[in-house]
Amino acid sequence: MTTQTIDVPSGVAPGVAQNNLFFAWFAGSLASCGAVTFTNPVEVVKTRLQLQGELAKATPGVERAYHNVAQAFWAIGKNEGLRGLQKGLGPGYMYQIMLNGTRLGFYEPVKNALYTGATGSTSRGQTPIMALNVAAGGLCGVAGAALGSPFFLVKTRMQSASKFAAVGHQHNYTSSIDGLRRIWQAGGIRGLYRGMDAAMMRAGAGSAVQLATYDHFKSYISRTLAHRGLTDNSVYTHFLASMGTGFFVCLAMNPFDVVSTRMYNQKTVNGQGALYRNPFQCFYKTVASEGVLSLYKGFLAHYLRLGPHTILMFVFVEQIKALGAQYF
């Protein structure tokens, strides 16, 4: 079996570009923006499925606008076209730069700092310690989510907007700039960072699982299947590690994703959320009104978005890092 790899020439010290903080941030930002270009339509579907029936008990005979992922995708495409399926892409790019540029860029330095504190040496050459990887991933995810929160806020509100099948509160922003301007005028800096606590919980859970399990899967595959060409810098290794990672991330993150979507999209009255005061109340009211399984609304759409996004992002970032090591 042959695999595609990018080898670092003998004259180039391996890891030079990867150990450069700015390059790691750039690689994470570029890779995640490339990934979200392809996965944003499924994010639109996921957002609407999660908002549909908000705080309403299931009533037999009540027609829903969106029945499943395929039907929702078709309905949005048919009634709103490609622009409808790519709603929120602009703020989505900015969010990816803030979130993934931060968490992928700072993951290795934070992880090495934790390993040094715990073992006396960096993680290079050591058997992965899952607890430290989870901690590093969680810390970087929380920091990235805090920085990107205003853009996630606008993205969610733009993606929920629909003239043919409205779900949740309709904010009707004409553009990202319009959304940011109107939020600033209504609530200032506090308005821009409304729902940040829910987003930090979401990103912390997702990043802890994603970065840690990806490290673990990649290390395991490269150790056990190196004889088949699945080395640490093989595209196939990155692909397989990403596939396994995507499922576990979605399993851990979906409840937080539902809560953050609803916290971001709710109407504000006198500077306060009209439906929820905080993420914990959102959890409680959602489960009380719709049942525990409501926390997994949009799970399939979430996985269909997160799985390819994880695969594309990590494949892109690994190849960008390899090219950086080769040429810089």
Side-chain angles (χ1 to χ4, degrees), residues 179-189 192:
L180 291 169
R181 177 182 59 80
R182 287 167 57 182
I183 295 168
W184 174 264
Q185 290 176 343
I189 192 71
L192 286 173

Side-chain angles (χ1 to χ4, degrees), residues 126 128 214-224 232 237:
Q126 291 200 49
Y214 179 76
D215 251 12
H216 182 78
F217 277 124
K218 190 175 76 165
S219 176
Y220 177 79
I221 293 168
S222 61
R223 285 199 320 269
T224 58
D232 192 61
T237 300

Side-chain angles (χ1 to χ4, degrees), residues 6 21 65 80 87 102 113 127 129 138 150 178 215 218 242 315 318:
I6 296 180
L21 191 60
E80 301 177 46
K87 278 186 175 180
T102 299
T127 300
I129 302 174
D178 176 59
D215 251 12
K218 190 175 76 165
S242 298
V315 168
E318 293 283 3

